[in-house]
Amino acid sequence: QVQLVESGGGLVQAGGSLKLSCAASGRIFSINAMGWYRQAPGKQRELVAIITSGGSTNYADSVKGRFTISRDNAKNTVYLQMNSLKPDDRGVYYCNADITVYSGLPYEAYWGQGTQVTVSS
């Protein structure tokens, strides 16, 4: 089985920083893209940032210049450095990864359990 475990959420004042981590474990043959999504109360889950296995990145317009996504392929871990946090950044942040558990099998999307980020004004 594959598990994604997030950590690093919490409460921070506006203008502050947090770093989220997400480690994938279990029967993993290969990981393709990894990403972070967030869901604010009453809103749909939205993409925050994504990074391919080769290191190419893409960000939501609302976080460009403030957030940085990175990954450590040796550790099957993806990170999200969040700077200059705003109250609108609050929500539950979910890790996502496209993983195949065996050579030749298709990649499947796996999700973490989510970590809460709260930004006070």
PDB file of all heavy atoms in Angstrom, residues 3-17:
ATOM      1  N   GLN A   3       1.211   5.290   1.049  1.00  0.00           N
ATOM      2  CA  GLN A   3       0.718   6.338   1.948  1.00  0.00           C
ATOM      3  C   GLN A   3       1.446   7.637   1.680  1.00  0.00           C
ATOM      4  O   GLN A   3       2.647   7.641   1.413  1.00  0.00           O
ATOM      5  CB  GLN A   3       0.949   5.946   3.409  1.00  0.00           C
ATOM      6  CG  GLN A   3      -0.062   4.956   3.963  1.00  0.00           C
ATOM      7  CD  GLN A   3       0.081   4.798   5.462  1.00  0.00           C
ATOM      8  OE1 GLN A   3       1.191   4.710   5.984  1.00  0.00           O
ATOM      9  NE2 GLN A   3      -1.036   4.761   6.160  1.00  0.00           N
ATOM     10  N   LEU A   4       0.713   8.727   1.777  1.00  0.00           N
ATOM     11  CA  LEU A   4       1.298  10.065   1.747  1.00  0.00           C
ATOM     12  C   LEU A   4       1.007  10.706   3.097  1.00  0.00           C
ATOM     13  O   LEU A   4      -0.158  10.771   3.512  1.00  0.00           O
ATOM     14  CB  LEU A   4       0.678  10.912   0.633  1.00  0.00           C
ATOM     15  CG  LEU A   4       0.830  10.430  -0.806  1.00  0.00           C
ATOM     16  CD1 LEU A   4       0.215  11.436  -1.763  1.00  0.00           C
ATOM     17  CD2 LEU A   4       2.276  10.181  -1.149  1.00  0.00           C
ATOM     18  N   VAL A   5       2.046  11.175   3.747  1.00  0.00           N
ATOM     19  CA  VAL A   5       1.897  11.772   5.067  1.00  0.00           C
ATOM     20  C   VAL A   5       2.445  13.186   5.042  1.00  0.00           C
ATOM     21  O   VAL A   5       3.631  13.402   4.788  1.00  0.00           O
ATOM     22  CB  VAL A   5       2.611  10.941   6.141  1.00  0.00           C
ATOM     23  CG1 VAL A   5       2.458  11.606   7.509  1.00  0.00           C
ATOM     24  CG2 VAL A   5       2.061   9.523   6.174  1.00  0.00           C
ATOM     25  N   GLU A   6       1.546  14.147   5.326  1.00  0.00           N
ATOM     26  CA  GLU A   6       1.936  15.550   5.333  1.00  0.00           C
ATOM     27  C   GLU A   6       2.314  15.987   6.740  1.00  0.00           C
ATOM     28  O   GLU A   6       1.830  15.431   7.726  1.00  0.00           O
ATOM     29  CB  GLU A   6       0.791  16.438   4.837  1.00  0.00           C
ATOM     30  CG  GLU A   6       0.338  16.166   3.434  1.00  0.00           C
ATOM     31  CD  GLU A   6      -1.080  15.672   3.373  1.00  0.00           C
ATOM     32  OE1 GLU A   6      -1.507  15.051   4.363  1.00  0.00           O
ATOM     33  OE2 GLU A   6      -1.756  15.892   2.355  1.00  0.00           O
ATOM     34  N   SER A   7       3.106  17.032   6.812  1.00  0.00           N
ATOM     35  CA  SER A   7       3.445  17.651   8.084  1.00  0.00           C
ATOM     36  C   SER A   7       3.824  19.098   7.832  1.00  0.00           C
ATOM     37  O   SER A   7       4.102  19.487   6.691  1.00  0.00           O
ATOM     38  CB  SER A   7       4.599  16.915   8.771  1.00  0.00           C
ATOM     39  OG  SER A   7       5.754  16.949   7.965  1.00  0.00           O
ATOM     40  N   GLY A   8       3.829  19.894   8.903  1.00  0.00           N
ATOM     41  CA  GLY A   8       4.307  21.263   8.796  1.00  0.00           C
ATOM     42  C   GLY A   8       3.246  22.335   8.851  1.00  0.00           C
ATOM     43  O   GLY A   8       3.570  23.525   8.850  1.00  0.00           O
ATOM     44  N   GLY A   9       1.979  21.953   8.880  1.00  0.00           N
ATOM     45  CA  GLY A   9       0.943  22.971   8.986  1.00  0.00           C
ATOM     46  C   GLY A   9       0.915  23.600  10.361  1.00  0.00           C
ATOM     47  O   GLY A   9       1.624  23.185  11.274  1.00  0.00           O
ATOM     48  N   GLY A  10       0.095  24.638  10.488  1.00  0.00           N
ATOM     49  CA  GLY A  10      -0.028  25.290  11.786  1.00  0.00           C
ATOM     50  C   GLY A  10      -0.610  26.670  11.663  1.00  0.00           C
ATOM     51  O   GLY A  10      -1.192  27.032  10.636  1.00  0.00           O
ATOM     52  N   LEU A  11      -0.451  27.427  12.738  1.00  0.00           N
ATOM     53  CA  LEU A  11      -0.965  28.794  12.808  1.00  0.00           C
ATOM     54  C   LEU A  11       0.199  29.763  12.664  1.00  0.00           C
ATOM     55  O   LEU A  11       1.223  29.622  13.337  1.00  0.00           O
ATOM     56  CB  LEU A  11      -1.661  29.005  14.151  1.00  0.00           C
ATOM     57  CG  LEU A  11      -2.092  30.439  14.495  1.00  0.00           C
ATOM     58  CD1 LEU A  11      -3.137  30.935  13.504  1.00  0.00           C
ATOM     59  CD2 LEU A  11      -2.611  30.498  15.921  1.00  0.00           C
ATOM     60  N   VAL A  12       0.015  30.758  11.792  1.00  0.00           N
ATOM     61  CA  VAL A  12       1.068  31.749  11.572  1.00  0.00           C
ATOM     62  C   VAL A  12       0.404  33.102  11.339  1.00  0.00           C
ATOM     63  O   VAL A  12      -0.726  33.172  10.856  1.00  0.00           O
ATOM     64  CB  VAL A  12       1.945  31.342  10.377  1.00  0.00           C
ATOM     65  CG1 VAL A  12       1.161  31.347   9.083  1.00  0.00           C
ATOM     66  CG2 VAL A  12       3.190  32.211  10.278  1.00  0.00           C
ATOM     67  N   GLN A  13       1.106  34.154  11.688  1.00  0.00           N
ATOM     68  CA  GLN A  13       0.605  35.498  11.428  1.00  0.00           C
ATOM     69  C   GLN A  13       0.798  35.865   9.962  1.00  0.00           C
ATOM     70  O   GLN A  13       1.711  35.358   9.296  1.00  0.00           O
ATOM     71  CB  GLN A  13       1.329  36.509  12.305  1.00  0.00           C
ATOM     72  CG  GLN A  13       0.916  36.472  13.766  1.00  0.00           C
ATOM     73  CD  GLN A  13       1.485  37.638  14.551  1.00  0.00           C
ATOM     74  OE1 GLN A  13       2.569  38.122  14.246  1.00  0.00           O
ATOM     75  NE2 GLN A  13       0.764  38.085  15.569  1.00  0.00           N
ATOM     76  N   ALA A  14      -0.037  36.749   9.481  1.00  0.00           N
ATOM     77  CA  ALA A  14       0.117  37.243   8.116  1.00  0.00           C
ATOM     78  C   ALA A  14       1.527  37.796   7.925  1.00  0.00           C
ATOM     79  O   ALA A  14       2.058  38.497   8.798  1.00  0.00           O
ATOM     80  CB  ALA A  14      -0.921  38.321   7.833  1.00  0.00           C
ATOM     81  N   GLY A  15       2.118  37.448   6.784  1.00  0.00           N
ATOM     82  CA  GLY A  15       3.484  37.840   6.510  1.00  0.00           C
ATOM     83  C   GLY A  15       4.508  36.799   6.921  1.00  0.00           C
ATOM     84  O   GLY A  15       5.691  36.907   6.550  1.00  0.00           O
ATOM     85  N   GLY A  16       4.064  35.809   7.664  1.00  0.00           N
ATOM     86  CA  GLY A  16       4.968  34.767   8.136  1.00  0.00           C
ATOM     87  C   GLY A  16       5.181  33.667   7.125  1.00  0.00           C
ATOM     88  O   GLY A  16       4.705  33.745   5.985  1.00  0.00           O
ATOM     89  N   SER A  17       5.896  32.624   7.553  1.00  0.00           N
ATOM     90  CA  SER A  17       6.265  31.523   6.669  1.00  0.00           C
ATOM     91  C   SER A  17       5.969  30.183   7.322  1.00  0.00           C
ATOM     92  O   SER A  17       5.980  30.055   8.547  1.00  0.00           O
ATOM     93  CB  SER A  17       7.762  31.588   6.332  1.00  0.00           C
ATOM     94  OG  SER A  17       8.092  32.764   5.655  1.00  0.00           O
TER      95      SER A  17
END
